[in-house]
Amino acid sequence: IDRMKNMSPQHEGINGGSSRISPGLVRSKSSQHEMKQQETNAFLAQNNSGKFNRLVPACCRMTRITPVNQIHSLDPSLHSRAWLDVMASAWTSRDEKNEAMEEILLLAKDRSRAKMLLEEGILDSLMYILREFFQQYVEKVRLSGKDTLPVEAYMGDPNFFHSKLAANCCVALAKAYCSATVHTEVNDFSHSGGLSLPVSQQVAQLLYEIPHHMAVIVPDAKEGEKKEVFRLTTEMTLQLANDLGSSITSLTLGRLEINTSEK
């Protein structure tokens, strides 16, 4: 008993209720918190306090972004915007964009985050990837002189996996979008709510109602050559939306079925 009474505070256990915490551990945790706060502040400053100009396409941007290996150290509330930056950047690699899309698939399960991603233009970069892949496939079919290509012709292509991820993101965002909307107009897609629609039509509804920037090749008067510019798809037709929705949904299943209007 006397030995227990003389025990120093740092050796007291749970029952003693006064075990001493190492000052070094406190400083370590404090330093980690300060570093995380500094990274978050830098992210907000870099992105103009978290505000973007939606008139600027969220695709092929020549701006600085938070490095991919640092995004997970940011505050979780900033992850959606940080991964969108990775998708929108012209400097990020295909592998980095693949990682971003895998994260977006998880973020899209939360309706509010899916809404934020759509409002900030995530469709710009997703549809850029998909249209480029569809166009390349159509050109390969044309050169082959056949109506379609065998699965083996594109299954090993890294761009196939890249585009399939983009298609899966579109489907996830479409489901989140349709679950939050109920349409009653006569000429609209549904009279009983988006979730009663097939997946391809949910994607079509998303593309029809949420404008995105589409890359267009136009002549450059100054250089005398052609250049790529982005225009907002404010005149998306129901037919084109349905065709795109069908093509995108087929791609998520590992099939390439490009409709006529998309060719």
Side-chain angles (χ1 to χ4, degrees):
I1 295 174
D2 292 338
R3 185 179 178 183
M4 292 178 65
K5 288 181 179 179
N6 294 327
M7 186 180 291
S8 60
Q10 61 267 33
H11 291 109
E12 291 185 20
I14 296 174
N15 293 332
S18 61
S19 69
R20 181 178 297 176
I21 299 175
S22 169
L25 181 60
V26 174
R27 283 195 297 272
S28 176
K29 290 185 176 180
S30 177
S31 298
Q32 290 176 3
H33 176 74
E34 289 175 1
M35 287 178 63
K36 186 171 183 179
Q37 188 61 45
Q38 288 173 2
E39 290 172 349
T40 299
N41 292 339
F43 176 86
L44 291 172
Q46 176 181 307
N47 291 289
N48 191 25
S49 299
K51 295 181 180 179
F52 284 103
N53 182 358
R54 185 61 190 94
L55 295 176
V56 179
C59 186
C60 300
R61 286 177 176 168
M62 304 290 186
T63 55
R64 293 176 58 191
I65 66 167
T66 301
V68 171
N69 60 3
Q70 295 179 18
I71 292 178
H72 288 291
S73 66
L74 295 172
D75 187 279
S77 64
L78 301 176
H79 286 183
S80 299
R81 198 179 298 278
W83 290 118
L84 184 143
D85 275 356
V86 174
M87 293 297 296
S89 174
W91 307 117
T92 48
S93 67
R94 180 174 57 204
D95 287 342
E96 288 174 327
K97 284 182 167 63
N98 284 348
E99 182 177 350
M101 287 189 284
E102 288 171 351
E103 293 293 333
I104 287 169
L105 281 173
L106 299 175
L107 293 168
K109 294 179 180 180
D110 181 272
R111 194 177 299 174
S112 62
R113 288 178 175 174
K115 181 175 182 290
M116 173 266 162
L117 288 167
L118 289 171
E119 289 176 347
E120 294 294 339
I122 190 61
L123 286 179
D124 294 356
S125 52
L126 293 175
M127 292 304 298
Y128 184 84
I129 293 170
L130 288 166
R131 278 197 171 91
E132 189 175 59
F133 181 69
F134 288 157
Q135 289 168 1
Q136 289 174 355
Y137 174 79
V138 169
E139 181 62 15
K140 288 179 181 179
V141 170
R142 187 186 68 80
L143 293 174
S144 71
K146 302 176 182 178
D147 294 331
T148 59
L149 291 178
V151 175
E152 296 78 15
Y154 55 83
M155 285 295 286
D157 184 354
N159 286 324
F160 173 73
F161 177 72
H162 187 56
S163 302
K164 188 177 178 181
L165 268 177
N168 281 321
C169 285
C170 285
V171 168
L173 291 165
K175 288 180 177 179
Y177 175 74
C178 290
S179 70
T181 57
V182 176
H183 300 276
T184 56
E185 295 182 13
V186 175
N187 295 324
D188 219 323
F189 286 91
S190 171
H191 298 291
S192 58
L195 289 180
S196 64
L197 296 171
V199 174
S200 63
Q201 291 188 31
Q202 290 185 51
V203 176
Q205 180 171 316
L206 174 69
L207 296 176
Y208 182 71
E209 297 182 358
I210 304 295
H212 65 274
H213 288 89
M214 182 173 65
V216 180
I217 305 298
V218 298
D220 189 340
K222 293 182 179 179
E223 301 294 332
E225 299 178 355
K226 294 182 178 180
K227 64 178 182 180
E228 186 178 67
V229 298
F230 287 88
R231 294 176 179 171
L232 206 58
T233 58
T234 54
E235 298 180 1
M236 174 76 71
T237 64
L238 291 173
Q239 183 60 51
L240 179 56
N242 276 309
D243 288 345
L244 282 169
S246 177
S247 298
I248 290 169
T249 305
S250 294
L251 183 54
T252 65
L253 302 174
R255 302 195 306 265
L256 277 172
E257 299 173 0
I258 315 300
N259 290 283
T260 303
S261 62
E262 184 57 15
K263 293 180 184 179

